[in-house]
Amino acid sequence: MSLLRIVAALTFLMVGAAAAMADAFPVTFTHKFGTTTINAQPVRVVSLSYAGGDNVLALGVKPVALRYWYGDYPYGVWPWAQAALGDAKPESLKGDLNIEQIAALKPDVILAVSSGITREQYDLLSQIAPTVAPEAEYGDYGTPWQVDVRTSGKALGKSAEAESLIAGVESRLAAIRAAHPDWQGKSAAVATYWNNAPGAYRSIDLRPRLLNGLGFVTPAAIDAAGPADAFYVTLSSEDLTPVDADILIWFDEDNTVSALKLRPNMRAHKEGREIFPDSVLSGAFSFSSLLSINYVLDQMEPMIAAAIDGDPATIVHDVRNGASK
């Protein structure tokens, strides 16, 4: 039996055992805007988090509304989460938040971690239903996936299920770390070319956090290029050294990275350490949710193994040229 199937089976058993134990209400959260108390287990849930709706679905709850992020999928739910959505038809919240639209849904709770809501929006939303904002220490978009899951679990009366699901993913991450001791402590960057400039995700972002779970570290130069609460930084086309890491993952389905004239001089390029995932894998990486992480690990583990050897002759995944480069 494969490791993934073993982890899935153990997780299923743990979740089944945990389901019999419901959380006691009321529950209280402390966050960047103060405190929020939920007096009873919610039924009508609105998820404003750009990726957090995945975790709500993973806990067996079908929100009445989900925040649309990107991607041409029904209700903004990507392939890895469609089975969890089932036949539910949540309202899709696109663009700027429409407070009246949310109020009309008559939610019992509004989950707003990783939503970027302002103080003014929080005050308005709190008049509709208890609203859970991100914890101050993580900023708007730096909440680790484990914290997001625990927050959703606590708010929905499913803390035990949340812990079981977290344990399942963390067990798989630990198994991959053990299988690849040569990865530990190596540098990994996640970069893109956007708005006519290269950029990279700092270590507080979900994407580098997931790589950190595999034993990689974000190059210090990337973190130093932005303030402590920034999840992304713009870099200079004249200096690509911050992303010249042991592993360099480019989000580049449109082949815009080719505009970087200095890229051929990078060690990562010359030694075949670059990975170019397709749009679904990039999306799964960006969501880094209970429902997408296993998809990332299934796809990314062999890609990283091929890229990290530093041998340019090794075939490494490049979505722009089929499956190799």
Side-chain angles (χ1 to χ4, degrees), residues 237-270:
S237 296
E238 303 304 318
D239 182 10
L240 299 179
T241 57
V243 298
D244 200 359
D246 294 314
I247 288 293
L248 174 52
I249 300 170
W250 287 110
F251 287 0
D252 185 42
E253 301 95 67
D254 297 327
N255 196 20
T256 53
V257 167
S258 60
L260 295 170
K261 296 180 180 180
L262 295 183
R263 177 172 158 251
N265 299 328
M266 299 174 67
R267 179 182 71 108
H269 177 72
K270 291 187 288 186

Side-chain angles (χ1 to χ4, degrees), residues 38 69 76 149 204 212 298:
I38 304 172
W69 189 4
V149 174
I204 68 167
N212 180 254
D298 288 343

Side-chain angles (χ1 to χ4, degrees), residues 45-49 51-54 56 63 65-67 93 109-112:
V45 178
V46 166
S47 175
L48 298 185
S49 301
D54 270 17
V56 175
L66 290 170
R67 184 79 171 274
L93 305 176
V109 69
I110 299 171
L111 300 178

Side-chain angles (χ1 to χ4, degrees), residues 23-267:
D23 290 359
F25 283 85
V27 294
T28 299
F29 299 84
T30 300
H31 50 72
K32 64 182 293 185
F33 298 129
T35 60
T36 295
T37 297
I38 304 172
N39 291 316
Q41 187 169 18
V43 175
R44 297 182 61 80
V45 178
V46 166
S47 175
L48 298 185
S49 301
Y50 283 105
D54 270 17
N55 293 328
V56 175
L57 290 170
L59 291 168
V61 175
K62 310 291 180 68
V64 296
L66 290 170
R67 184 79 171 274
Y68 175 82
W69 189 4
Y70 74 107
D72 187 20
Y73 301 102
Y75 313 108
V77 175
W78 285 58
W80 58 80
Q82 289 171 2
L85 178 66
D87 58 3
K89 298 180 179 180
E91 191 155 341
S92 185
L93 305 176
K94 295 184 177 182
D96 295 335
L97 289 182
N98 184 324
I99 303 300
E100 292 182 356
Q101 179 187 19
I102 296 171
L105 295 167
K106 299 181 179 179
D108 300 318
V109 69
I110 299 171
L111 300 178
V113 174
S114 298
S115 67
I117 62 169
T118 64
R119 177 73 207 213
E120 180 182 7
Q121 289 172 325
Y122 170 79
D123 290 341
L124 292 171
L125 292 167
S126 295
Q127 295 177 39
I128 300 169
T131 300
V132 183
E135 296 179 35
E137 65 179 292
Y138 300 124
D140 285 335
Y141 300 109
T143 300
W145 67 266
Q146 298 95 326
V147 175
D148 187 285
V149 174
R150 289 189 174 103
T151 299
S152 295
K154 180 180 176 181
L156 301 174
K158 293 178 174 287
S159 289
E161 292 97 321
E163 291 299 332
S164 294
L165 291 168
I166 290 170
V169 174
E170 289 188 334
S171 293
R172 188 175 182 198
L173 290 170
I176 293 175
R177 289 196 303 271
H180 299 283
D182 56 312
W183 294 5
Q184 308 312 299
K186 295 293 181 65
S187 62
V190 184
T192 188
Y193 187 83
W194 180 75
N195 203 20
N196 297 317
Y201 296 95
R202 297 181 69 252
S203 59
I204 68 167
D205 182 75
L206 287 172
R207 304 161 186 85
R209 284 190 189 277
L210 185 53
L211 290 171
N212 180 254
L214 296 175
F216 292 98
V217 296
T218 300
I222 294 177
D223 280 345
D229 61 348
F231 70 95
Y232 179 85
V233 292
T234 299
L235 303 171
S236 170
S237 296
E238 303 304 318
D239 182 10
L240 299 179
T241 57
V243 298
D244 200 359
D246 294 314
I247 288 293
L248 174 52
I249 300 170
W250 287 110
F251 287 0
D252 185 42
E253 301 95 67
D254 297 327
N255 196 20
T256 53
V257 167
S258 60
L260 295 170
K261 296 180 180 180
L262 295 183
R263 177 172 158 251
N265 299 328
M266 299 174 67
R267 179 182 71 108

Side-chain angles (χ1 to χ4, degrees), residues 3-4 172 175-177 179-180 182-183 211 214 216 246-247 249 272-277 281 285 293-311 314-318 323-325:
L3 175 62
L4 176 58
R172 188 175 182 198
I176 293 175
R177 289 196 303 271
H180 299 283
D182 56 312
W183 294 5
L211 290 171
L214 296 175
F216 292 98
D246 294 314
I247 288 293
I249 300 170
R273 296 176 180 274
E274 297 171 299
I275 299 172
F276 290 83
L281 181 53
F285 223 121
I293 289 176
N294 277 323
Y295 181 86
V296 173
L297 299 179
D298 288 343
Q299 304 293 317
M300 192 62 70
E301 183 179 5
M303 294 180 190
I304 293 174
I308 203 168
D309 66 358
D311 182 353
T314 303
I315 295 175
V316 182
H317 189 87
D318 186 342
S324 64
K325 76 181 182 81

